[in-house]
Amino acid sequence: MSTDFLPGKTRTMADGATLICIFVAVLMLVPARAVFKGIPLSLTPGNVAALFAGICWVCAQLTLTLGMAKGRTPVRTGIFVYAIAVLFSYGYANYGPLPSDEVKLSDHAIVLVAGNCAVALMMNDGVRGLIRLDRVLKTAVVCGTGVALVGCCQFILKLDLTQYMVLPGLRFTSDDGFVETREALARVAGTTGHPIEFGVLCAMLLPLAAHFAFQAKGRGEPVLRWWICCAIIAAGLMFSISRSAVLGVAGAGLVLFIGWPAKRRWYTLLVGLVFLGVIKVTVPSLLGALYNLFANIGNDSSISHRTYASAVAAKQISLHPLFGHGPGTWYAGKHEVFDNQYILSTVETGFVGVAAFAGIFLCAFYSALRARYLSKDPGARDLALTICASLVAPLVGSATFDLTAFATVTGLTFVLVGASGSLLRTAKQLAPHEDQFGVLYWVRYRWAWLRDLVTRRRRRTVVAEPVG
């Protein structure tokens, strides 16, 4: 929707995309350890923005005049199933005896789940059209570039800008810095809570930045700005010195290389080799440190700890196999750290919860691929492939660290899940006749065609005989 603001110009009215842009900016640019003072649940500004978006989504669903999409979609169904599964686990855990500290953390976890689901639903239903969807994703790339720039300052200049980024009314939850060390090199976190989270966040944003860089020329937009974003985000990924980041960007790259044309593949390989050459010259020991993460994996203490923690998890899962110990009740300091979101979800929410968690990714992948199949616009088709690639990073990263324990990467994951649903809605509106009844229509049509082919049935024409 738009309204006249100045002669010859239009002003876009605030909508669901506006709320998500605000959420993304607050989520990424405010340090992850900064929470509101005086609130016992330790809510971040991003959490509050997500909950506000949820309230707006509920109110907009009650009207027909605010432009909110209605109706079932795969992403919407997946989000509701996930929310119900977590609620069942929450009720099951609180039905029995729980220590007071775990009750408090379980309440906190439910609030966070509600916020994340609200963001995905607002993206799915409130972001209408490719222009508004691009606006949200461009905001994510620009803000992510800011996060990566903070990380580059931490690594190169040894300057932690996060100490100057605490707004009035906020406080840090811990005194730990945003910089660690590995292989005698600084591991930086930008504004996120941990270097692993920072690396996976960059792995998720890099495909989006590359998408806008490749699409800019055809749209008549400046190209250089997006390539600068790509370079800064890629540098931040390297400076995180994270195994999860490398695996995430490798998985995302594999998806892109499958769907990209050959010319773009070779161009990307050339640019990647030049980038690695620059890193080798400027920081000679960085590539060696990243190589040692995989070469010495058998002697890595973190890997041996994961093996030990798996035995602890198996015992705990056997006690509560269906609904788990309770969302948010298994925390570091009191229990073993698994560094595996799938194991953690199984322990906390049982097999029902981890299946619902995995189902969110499946619904998002289906929606994006379905939108790619329906759309005739090359830009929309490339965006669908890019969203799939970006979601591969947290999907792979969930096997190497506790994804939902980190707010920034979790929030962006749910934004991208909702983006796939929004893209599918747009694709169906632009091609309504091709998806009249979805997959069920396609299966029925193909089955009837195959049946007629096998049986070789022919229509018979009945000719009436002349009378008298």
Side-chain angles (χ1 to χ4, degrees):
M1 300 175 63
S2 63
T3 181
D4 293 337
F5 181 62
L6 289 175
K9 295 185 178 181
T10 58
R11 181 185 180 185
T12 302
M13 298 178 63
D15 57 1
T18 307
L19 292 175
I20 299 299
C21 287
I22 294 174
F23 165 76
V24 169
V26 172
L27 177 73
M28 294 189 181
L29 299 182
V30 178
R33 298 175 185 174
V35 300
F36 284 104
K37 297 178 180 178
I39 299 180
L41 289 178
S42 297
L43 296 179
T44 66
N47 298 146
V48 175
L51 293 173
F52 178 74
I55 295 174
C56 293
W57 179 84
V58 172
C59 294
Q61 287 292 329
L62 300 178
T63 70
L64 298 174
T65 58
L66 296 179
M68 183 68 66
K70 306 292 194 298
R72 184 176 58 193
T73 66
V75 166
R76 187 169 177 172
T77 302
I79 291 297
F80 277 122
V81 170
Y82 172 70
I84 293 172
V86 175
L87 282 175
F88 265 100
S89 176
Y90 175 78
Y92 174 78
N94 283 270
Y95 180 75
L98 269 183
S100 59
D101 57 337
E102 295 184 2
V103 170
K104 182 179 179 180
L105 290 174
S106 184
D107 295 339
H108 183 244
I110 284 294
V111 174
L112 299 186
V113 169
N116 291 327
C117 292
V119 167
L121 290 173
M122 180 60 77
M123 277 292 299
N124 184 75
D125 299 336
V127 180
R128 311 295 300 276
L130 290 176
I131 295 177
R132 302 303 288 163
L133 181 57
D134 278 350
R135 177 63 59 87
V136 173
L137 298 180
K138 286 180 179 179
T139 301
V141 171
V142 172
C143 293
T145 303
V147 176
L149 191 60
V150 172
C152 292
C153 291
Q154 292 170 342
F155 187 88
I156 299 173
L157 304 178
K158 312 302 179 185
L159 174 63
D160 185 11
L161 296 176
T162 57
Q163 58 184 328
Y164 308 108
M165 299 172 65
V166 182
L167 300 176
L170 301 179
R171 62 176 178 85
F172 277 155
T173 55
S174 64
D175 297 329
D176 299 336
F178 289 81
V179 183
E180 300 179 0
T181 58
R182 170 179 273 178
E183 298 279 346
L185 291 172
R187 296 183 69 196
V188 299
T191 61
T192 65
H194 194 274
I196 297 179
E197 181 187 18
F198 176 56
V200 175
L201 181 73
C202 291
M204 296 173 65
L205 291 171
L206 188 57
L208 290 172
H211 163 76
F212 291 121
F214 283 120
Q215 296 293 321
K217 184 177 181 180
R219 297 177 179 180
E221 301 174 354
V223 180
L224 182 60
R225 65 178 65 173
W226 296 112
W227 286 119
I228 293 175
C229 290
C230 288
I232 295 175
I233 292 172
L237 186 149
M238 302 291 289
F239 296 155
S240 68
I241 315 179
S242 169
R243 187 184 297 110
S244 300
V246 175
L247 293 174
V249 76
L254 178 62
V255 173
L256 292 176
F257 268 56
I258 292 175
W260 273 354
K263 183 179 179 180
R264 186 180 294 186
R265 296 175 191 170
W266 289 110
Y267 183 80
T268 304
L269 284 176
L270 179 61
V271 172
L273 290 175
V274 172
F275 174 78
L276 292 178
V278 173
I279 292 293
K280 181 63 177 179
V281 172
T282 55
V283 190
S285 57
L286 182 56
L287 293 181
L290 291 171
Y291 172 78
N292 291 333
L293 291 177
F294 298 92
N296 300 326
I297 194 170
N299 301 323
D300 196 331
S301 59
S302 64
I303 300 299
S304 59
H305 173 75
R306 285 181 172 91
T307 305
Y308 167 74
S310 298
V312 177
K315 181 179 179 180
Q316 183 62 36
I317 292 171
S318 65
L319 299 177
H320 310 281
L322 286 181
F323 299 110
H325 188 264
T329 58
W330 197 271
Y331 64 98
K334 182 177 181 179
H335 303 289
E336 290 290 336
V337 177
F338 300 127
D339 284 329
N340 187 310
Q341 183 59 49
Y342 301 113
I343 295 178
L344 179 62
S345 294
T346 308
V347 170
E348 288 189 338
T349 59
F351 290 113
V352 174
V354 73
F357 175 74
I360 293 176
F361 288 94
L362 293 178
C363 292
F365 287 133
Y366 168 80
S367 298
L369 294 176
R370 184 64 180 165
R372 179 178 170 84
Y373 170 77
L374 291 175
S375 179
K376 304 301 181 183
D377 180 13
R381 289 173 56 83
D382 190 67
L383 179 59
L385 180 69
T386 303
I387 291 175
C388 287
S390 296
L391 283 173
V392 167
L395 183 69
V396 174
S398 294
T400 57
F401 81 113
D402 300 333
L403 178 77
T404 57
F406 301 98
T408 307
V409 70
T410 302
L412 181 61
T413 299
F414 278 84
V415 167
L416 292 177
V417 167
S420 66
S422 174
L423 186 60
L424 180 58
R425 281 192 186 277
T426 301
K428 286 184 176 181
Q429 290 174 356
L430 296 178
H433 301 293
E434 297 185 26
D435 194 47
Q436 186 176 8
F437 299 101
V439 177
L440 183 60
Y441 174 78
W442 184 87
V443 171
R444 287 177 176 174
Y445 173 78
R446 290 299 182 184
W447 170 249
W449 174 82
L450 181 62
R451 183 185 57 191
D452 292 342
L453 180 65
V454 173
T455 58
R456 298 181 181 275
R457 293 182 178 178
R458 297 180 179 179
R459 295 183 179 179
R460 298 179 179 178
T461 304
V462 178
V463 181
E465 296 182 359
V467 179

